[in-house]
Amino acid sequence: MCPTEGDPGCQPASQLFVVEPTAAHTHTIILLHGLGSTGEKFGSELLDTGISSSGHKLTELLPYVRFVFPTSKRRRSKAFGRSMLTQWFDIIAFIARVGWKIHLQVVNNAPAV
């Protein structure tokens, strides 16, 4: 949900990417994508390439699980020059709200490598 209704920097999320269980459904796992990705991209990559040490995919190891991958809204990212990205929250705004400070340290006269 956008912090303020009607914010032009927020757009509605697209549909969920859902992978239904192949056996009787007993559990649901909801996994969130990273910055700039989508539920479908993250979910399909994870389930297609995520192979266990025994050579099995997650859907084979957990046939009773429904996997749900939502896509976040597109928001302006202060960390990326106010670019519109899919993100669950703006990390810079979050840090400012909880009172943390970002410190940048410039080392002058550092020894040459």
Side-chain angles (χ1 to χ4, degrees):
M1 179 169 224
C2 294
T4 46
E5 204 57 39
D7 181 353
C10 279
Q11 296 176 0
S14 58
Q15 294 179 333
L16 297 173
F17 177 62
V18 178
V19 177
E20 295 295 340
T22 56
H25 176 247
T26 60
H27 295 78
T28 298
I29 297 177
I30 301 171
L31 296 158
L32 305 180
H33 64 78
L35 181 67
S37 190
T38 66
E40 183 173 3
K41 182 178 179 192
F42 172 59
S44 60
E45 288 175 359
L46 176 69
L47 296 179
D48 289 343
T49 62
I51 309 241
S52 71
S53 59
S54 64
H56 294 93
K57 293 183 179 183
L58 280 175
T59 51
E60 295 168 342
L61 294 171
L62 305 169
Y64 47 84
V65 170
R66 173 183 293 130
F67 291 92
V68 178
F69 300 89
T71 295
S72 69
K73 294 179 178 134
R74 290 173 46 85
R75 294 180 170 84
R76 296 214 177 269
S77 172
K78 291 180 183 176
F80 290 93
R82 303 217 13 97
S83 296
M84 292 290 288
L85 300 171
T86 51
Q87 57 183 344
W88 297 104
F89 55 90
D90 185 8
I91 189 66
I92 299 296
F94 174 75
I95 289 170
R97 266 184 283 207
V98 296
W100 295 342
K101 294 182 180 178
I102 297 176
H103 297 279
L104 299 175
Q105 181 178 9
V106 177
V107 179
N108 293 324
N109 303 321
V113 178

